[in-house]
Amino acid sequence: MVVMVTGGAGYIGSHAVLALRRAGYDVVVYDNLSRGFAEALQGEAFAGVPLEVGDVGDRRRVREVIDKYGVEAVLHFAALAQVAESVEQPARYFRNNTLQGLDLVETLLDAGVRTLIFSSTAAVYGEPERVPIPEDHPERPTNPYGRSKLAFEFILESLAVARGLRYAALRYFNVAGADPEGQAGERHQPETHLIPLILAAALDHHPVRIFGTDYPTPDGTCIRDYVHVTDLVEAHLLALRKLIEGQPRVPAVTTAAGVAETASGGCRLVYNLGSEKGYSVREVIQAAERVIGMPIQTEIAPRRPGDPAVLVASSERIRRELGWAPRYGLEEMLATAWAWHQAHR
Ligand code: UDP
């Protein structure tokens, strides 16, 4: 089967390419290289994976690539994903993540490609009413990034009903770590994520900032649910298989389990992806000190606007329905990320 990976030159996308290849799929990467890097696809594990450069909103180009390779399913990672940037430039986020996403999915349907896995986010929930957060938690995103992703989920749901789209929306919590075999890793420009910033601080001997120490948590710092990128992409493969199998077939409405099969043959799966364990910023720093065996300097900084105190997933639904089980813990996320950072600084 031929799978197109949009955003395949990015952090999560490149790990998805590896997982697909290792599982025997043929892969084509579609990326505009605005946030991804062509070098991410240069390791031997990527040999023979074509990189097609283009925007997901460029309908002609997307159609050309679908026809050229006989694309049968799409993993859609291409997106802008920085909360602070989305607050400053909301139109850019809606244009890129929502409107161009619509261009992509209509082009796919017009070409007869009905299977799509979408990288959504825990940001669709906003400030949680309760933790752990299940998929039926109210969706009240507090920033344009989360809203742009939720708006696209609504588009997908409507197209599943009207045009037989078969999709999974996977809502990521905090993704971290690198390929345990060292073939891919995390690189963002600029980097805003806690774990790579901690590792860079250790390598360059400067302090890492702790954004807020007065949250209502045991040590005053924010608690997040970190999930290893390799476990995360494995969930995409499980969802893809489920959509290809076409099971389960249930009538036209969304069930409590979040699965709907429509008269048009469409299908909707919505799953949270998290480890269900919360770690505070201070706990992550302490774990990093243990893993890398050196002290990490810290500096207390003000709260980052829009950061909820605690975000922890309930991933019970995907565990039960697809048998997903994350294999790597926080220390393995740090160790694999550390190996990658040292090799690619
Ligand atoms: N954080 C921090 N210092 C940093 C970067 C992040 O204290 O330099 C905190 C941030 O406030 C949040 C957690 O680390 O509570 C995870 O942030 P990240 O940006 O990695 O992911 P997010 O939760 O925003 O998706």
Side-chain angles (χ1 to χ4, degrees), residues 189-306:
Q189 191 56 39
E191 187 53 77
T192 61
H193 296 104
L194 178 65
I195 288 181
L197 286 174
I198 291 173
L199 302 180
L203 278 173
D204 300 337
H205 307 288
H206 64 72
V208 64
R209 286 181 297 164
I210 300 179
F211 293 143
T213 53
D214 58 350
Y215 284 97
T217 60
D219 68 16
T221 65
C222 286
I223 293 177
R224 293 288 179 274
D225 178 336
Y226 295 87
V227 55
H228 195 288
V229 65
T230 299
D231 287 324
L232 183 99
V233 297
E234 203 49 49
H236 293 63
L237 266 62
L238 293 173
L240 180 61
R241 279 187 209 116
K242 189 78 172 176
L243 292 172
I244 296 167
E245 283 168 12
Q247 295 294 332
R249 303 190 72 82
V250 289
V253 287
T254 304
T255 64
V259 183
E261 189 104 13
T262 65
S264 62
C267 181
R268 167 183 185 259
L269 302 171
V270 178
Y271 295 120
N272 284 341
L273 296 181
S275 68
E276 305 188 311
K277 291 188 197 69
Y279 292 98
S280 72
V281 173
R282 284 199 197 280
E283 285 173 328
V284 176
I285 294 169
Q286 284 156 10
E289 288 180 321
R290 282 196 302 277
V291 167
I292 70 179
M294 46 167 120
I296 293 162
Q297 304 163 50
T298 58
E299 184 179 289
I300 309 237
R303 289 185 178 199
R304 202 171 59 175

Side-chain angles (χ1 to χ4, degrees), residues 125 133-137 139 171 270-272 314-315 317-318:
Y125 298 115
I133 303 173
E135 289 83 354
D136 59 4
H137 184 283
E139 291 146 359
R171 297 173 174 170
V270 178
Y271 295 120
N272 284 341
S314 165
S315 290
R317 183 188 282 176
I318 188 165

